[in-house]
Amino acid sequence: GGGGGGAAVRSAERRYDLPPSGSSSEEESDSDEEKAMKPKGIQGLIEVSNPNRAADKKKKIDKVDTDAKVQLSRREREEIEKQRQQDAYRRKHEQGKTDEARRDLARLAVIRQQREETARKKEAERKAKEAAAAAAAAAKKK
């Protein structure tokens, strides 16, 4: 019954024969990085100023100019101007100084007048009915 124990020993030996799996890939990646870092041929001698590749320059908080006026983009300026114009128009409209406000007020005045007239007519009709009903009641009493 000792055959089972021998197989476990052989598999353990195989593991030690192979180099650890992580070390070989690490060595390859190190050599790749070294190759990428080394400039080839004349590239090391030529100094390239690529504005897209420039590293961000760190500013100290003391040196940051907080007093400078913030520059707005064209769209932002247009949006702010549009908002101001809308506010100014709304204020004039509320005061009744715009043409549209005058037309609205005139229309409202006409509607008010019509409603007053219909209210007067209804009141007159109601009084006439009351008078007729009172006359009919008086006629019945006689």
Side-chain angles (χ1 to χ4, degrees):
V9 172
R10 274 188 235 121
S11 66
E13 288 175 4
R14 284 189 206 133
R15 277 191 232 134
Y16 292 117
D17 290 343
L18 296 172
S21 61
S23 65
S24 63
S25 64
E26 287 176 9
E27 291 171 7
E28 291 172 6
S29 65
D30 289 344
S31 63
D32 291 342
E33 289 174 8
E34 289 173 8
K35 289 178 189 173
M37 297 291 248
K38 277 188 180 177
K40 296 179 182 178
I42 300 178
Q43 290 178 350
L45 301 175
I46 299 173
E47 194 172 311
V48 177
S49 62
N50 183 351
N52 297 328
R53 200 168 170 190
D56 294 334
K57 295 178 181 175
K58 306 272 189 239
K59 290 184 178 180
K60 291 187 177 179
I61 294 177
D62 301 344
K63 307 233 176 181
V64 174
D65 187 14
T66 55
D67 297 334
K69 186 179 179 185
V70 178
Q71 293 294 324
L72 299 174
S73 70
R74 178 183 57 82
R75 282 187 180 157
E76 290 170 334
R77 285 193 307 270
E78 288 175 356
E79 186 65 31
I80 290 172
E81 183 61 28
K82 184 178 173 185
Q83 191 66 37
R84 283 184 188 151
Q85 289 175 351
Q86 287 176 345
D87 290 344
Y89 182 81
R90 185 179 41 79
R91 272 189 243 107
K92 280 186 175 180
H93 189 79
E94 288 172 356
Q95 295 170 359
K97 293 181 180 177
T98 62
D99 292 336
E100 186 180 355
R102 288 186 195 118
R103 286 193 300 266
D104 290 345
L105 291 172
R107 195 176 320 123
L108 288 173
V110 169
I111 291 171
R112 250 189 234 117
Q113 194 175 14
Q114 290 172 349
R115 286 183 182 164
E116 288 173 4
E117 288 175 12
T118 55
R120 274 189 244 119
K121 286 179 184 175
K122 285 183 181 177
E123 183 67 24
E125 288 175 6
R126 188 178 60 80
K127 286 183 180 176
K129 282 183 182 177
E130 286 178 2
K140 280 187 182 179
K141 286 184 181 178
K142 289 186 179 177

